[in-house]
Amino acid sequence: MAASARASALVSSFPESSETASVEALVLQACDDIDSFHAVHRAYACLEKLIVPQRVSDTEEVYPTRAELGALVRLVNEELQRRFETAEATIQSLRAAAGEGGAQ
């Protein structure tokens, strides 16, 4: 999110044009993508710590941080939501197709 703010400040210094608007959109999207990569990396670090602790004597190495656990839970929830939405869309399409087939 901080990256998006930096990108917004960066591109706002450019003069306005349709080309600039496209560049601005791409810069903002790239910053959002990088933020997303960071969230995935935190979730991965959490899983890695849970599965393969490097040094058992180092509690920070063994136990994931609250931020890492939060990233993992958010990532799982987002993926579950995406899959539910996909399944619901498929079911709606099937119902519509069945309704059309039954009417013919």
Side-chain angles (χ1 to χ4, degrees):
M1 288 175 221
S4 293
R6 286 191 304 266
S8 185
L10 172 69
V11 294
S12 65
S13 64
F14 292 123
E16 286 300 315
S17 73
S18 61
E19 185 177 315
T20 301
S22 296
V23 170
E24 180 176 345
L26 290 172
V27 169
L28 292 174
Q29 182 62 48
C31 290
D32 288 344
D33 290 346
I34 290 170
D35 287 343
S36 177
F37 286 137
H38 287 295
V40 172
H41 184 259
R42 282 190 302 272
Y44 176 81
C46 177
L47 282 175
E48 188 176 42
K49 287 178 180 180
L50 289 171
I51 296 169
V52 187
Q54 301 297 323
R55 294 180 295 269
V56 177
S57 62
D58 188 356
T59 58
E60 189 169 321
E61 195 65 33
V62 175
Y63 298 108
T65 66
R66 194 171 181 86
E68 291 167 343
L69 285 169
L72 178 61
V73 170
R74 277 189 303 279
L75 197 65
V76 169
N77 282 338
E78 288 170 3
E79 184 60 20
L80 280 172
Q81 183 63 35
R82 187 188 67 76
R83 289 180 184 215
F84 279 128
E85 289 170 358
T86 300
E88 288 171 355
T90 301
I91 290 169
Q92 290 298 327
S93 296
L94 287 171
R95 285 182 179 152
E100 291 172 8
Q104 293 177 349

